[in-house]
Amino acid sequence: MQPSIGDSFGAFLAKVPAHVPSAILARVAAACVEINDLVQAGALADVIGSAQTDNVQGEVQQKLDILSNDAILNTCRGEPSLGGLCSEEHETFYVGAPGGKYLLLFDPLDGSSNIDVNVSIGTIFSILERPCPASALTTADFLQPGTAQVAAGYVIYGPQTILVLSVGDGVHMFTLDVRAKSFVCTRRNVKIVPDTQEFAINMSNMRHWDAPVRRYVDECLLGSAGIRQKDFNMRWIASMVTEVHRLLTRGGVFMYPWDARHPEKPGRLRLLYEANPMSFLIEAAGGRSINGYNRMLEIRPTALHERVSVMLGAKNEIERLSAYHATAAKPNPLARM
Ligand SMILES: O=P(O)(O)OC[C@H]1O[C@](O)(COP(=O)(O)O)[C@@H](O)[C@@H]1O
Ligand SMILES: [Mg+2]
Ligand SMILES: [Mg+2]
């Protein structure tokens, strides 16, 4: 069920096993082609700038956040196999088709602060099976650990627009042929190298981090003069999609850990539609993903918009971070939830 280079996304979906919700994936891809058109048009279509509204997380929505949400809703909601949807931009869930077997969870536009400055952004999605398709849809249906995902992926709107997907068997990349409006496989079975000399974290929050994260980053910064015995490079794009795409392409580590700016929140990123789908991809590519203390994909969610501390990427680096947390003098009960 692996695609061949040059296969269209449609040809790949025709080959996947029956438990993979190919009709939903086809609709997500179609919605992302629409979002790509909006992103490309930018100011010409008057889609840049703030919508002057807040979402459920108290964050100011950009026009593209709302338009991307609408594109996914309008394109996917009529799919008979889709029983419900959960979006970053909507407080509760959206009801889908009665009896629909699957649930779609998504961040319609990730990296919103990059829109105005014309830097890469993306869409993240996760698909779960619905526990009881015959019963009325409830919030609890969405609160499944990441291990239960049947498919997850993202689309990056960058110099090229690329759909990256795993249905549990490897990670594959499909580049948008803009003229044909179809995605074509350009990389298959992508793997993350287990070691790296590159990390990504918002260093401006350094003074707010927990000791294990500080220790890890301090050691990277000491480079060849410290215990790591090698120099590290740093990147921060402020778009998780773009950071994960770099990891899948040339390796590295990405961290958005708990920090003391908002001590009551376990992290900044959202578990169900940011951390879990990305962790599913990272593990399918041979990497690791944790919240510091636990494997991300095994965390039991308690709310639709739950936040989480995130550390993912190169296997050996994440195992090092995990060991630093496991031996911390004062484990942080807020970050380990
Ligand atoms: O503004 P900061 O602290 O750099 O945070 C950037 C992080 O916020 C996010 O943009 C959150 O996603 P949204 O844009 O969907 O809210 C991540 O993609 C990124 O890693
Ligand atoms: Mg996001
Ligand atoms: Mg978003």
Side-chain angles (χ1 to χ4, degrees):
M1 95 174 160
Q2 303 228 342
S4 304
I5 301 295
D7 273 0
S8 71
F9 190 55
F12 169 63
L13 291 180
K15 285 195 278 193
V16 297
H19 77 274
V20 176
S22 51
I24 299 173
L25 289 169
R27 289 199 187 215
V28 170
C32 291
V33 172
E34 265 183 53
I35 297 171
N36 181 65
D37 286 346
L38 292 168
V39 170
Q40 292 297 313
L44 297 175
D46 191 23
V47 299
I48 305 296
S50 166
Q52 314 284 0
T53 49
D54 284 359
N55 68 10
V56 55
Q57 343 256 347
E59 295 161 347
V60 177
Q61 290 175 305
Q62 301 294 306
K63 290 178 190 171
L64 268 176
D65 286 322
I66 297 174
L67 292 166
S68 304
N69 191 58
D70 292 349
I72 296 177
L73 260 191
N74 296 338
T75 309
C76 299
R77 211 174 183 180
E79 164 52 40
S81 63
L82 186 57
L85 304 88
C86 163
S87 165
E88 179 191 3
E89 304 303 335
H90 192 65
E91 184 165 7
T92 56
F93 54 78
Y94 299 102
V95 175
K101 269 183 66 181
Y102 296 99
L103 303 171
L104 175 65
L105 302 88
F106 57 100
D107 175 355
L109 206 78
D110 177 68
S112 302
S113 68
N114 282 346
I115 296 171
D116 290 357
V117 289
N118 200 15
V119 172
S120 299
I121 47 185
T123 296
I124 311 174
F125 59 91
S126 160
I127 301 180
L128 295 166
E129 239 173 289
R130 202 171 148 195
C132 308
S135 316
L137 189 66
T138 66
T139 298
D141 294 346
F142 292 87
L143 305 183
Q144 304 181 41
T147 46
Q149 294 171 102
V150 291
Y154 64 80
V155 172
I156 179 170
Y157 312 104
Q160 297 97 45
T161 293
I162 303 175
L163 187 158
V164 179
L165 176 74
S166 179
V167 294
D169 176 23
V171 176
H172 314 300
M173 297 189 176
F174 300 83
T175 303
L176 180 65
D177 176 340
V178 182
R179 284 196 204 116
K181 290 197 181 293
S182 83
F183 289 96
V184 178
C185 181
T186 44
R187 286 189 67 195
R188 62 198 286 271
N189 211 13
V190 173
K191 293 288 173 212
I192 299 183
V193 282
D195 292 295
T196 186
Q197 288 178 239
E198 194 162 69
F199 66 95
I201 192 165
N202 186 339
M203 290 288 286
S204 66
N205 299 325
M206 186 168 203
R207 71 189 184 284
H208 304 295
W209 298 335
D210 263 341
V213 176
R214 286 192 77 119
R215 175 180 173 191
Y216 176 80
V217 174
D218 282 348
E219 289 175 1
C220 291
L221 295 178
L222 280 173
S224 51
I227 72 153
R228 300 303 309 267
Q229 301 272 293
K230 58 182 182 181
D231 292 327
F232 281 78
N233 187 25
M234 199 211 82
R235 287 284 184 274
W236 187 250
I237 303 173
S239 156
M240 189 193 200
V241 165
T242 314
E243 315 276 7
V244 168
H245 196 69
R246 188 185 60 252
L247 262 56
L248 290 171
T249 306
R250 69 173 193 211
V253 171
F254 167 83
M255 293 165 277
Y256 211 120
W258 174 91
D259 71 57
R261 284 173 304 166
H262 302 285
E264 74 293 353
K265 292 182 185 165
R268 162 131 165 59
L269 298 174
R270 278 56 56 108
L271 176 60
L272 289 179
Y273 43 80
E274 291 182 317
N276 269 347
M278 292 314 206
S279 303
F280 190 77
L281 292 172
I282 293 288
E283 286 203 3
R288 294 287 181 274
S289 177
I290 58 173
N291 71 348
Y293 299 93
N294 304 304
R295 182 183 172 211
M296 189 70 67
L297 295 178
E298 290 176 2
I299 294 174
R300 297 221 153 255
T302 56
L304 287 182
H305 302 287
E306 178 168 346
R307 294 176 189 260
V308 70
S309 177
V310 175
M311 296 159 212
L312 51 78
K315 175 177 172 291
N316 293 339
E317 296 297 315
I318 299 301
E319 285 175 358
R320 177 181 285 268
L321 270 159
S322 174
Y324 288 0
H325 282 81
T327 55
K330 283 193 210 156
N332 181 346
L334 293 157
R336 70 190 306 177
M337 291 196 300

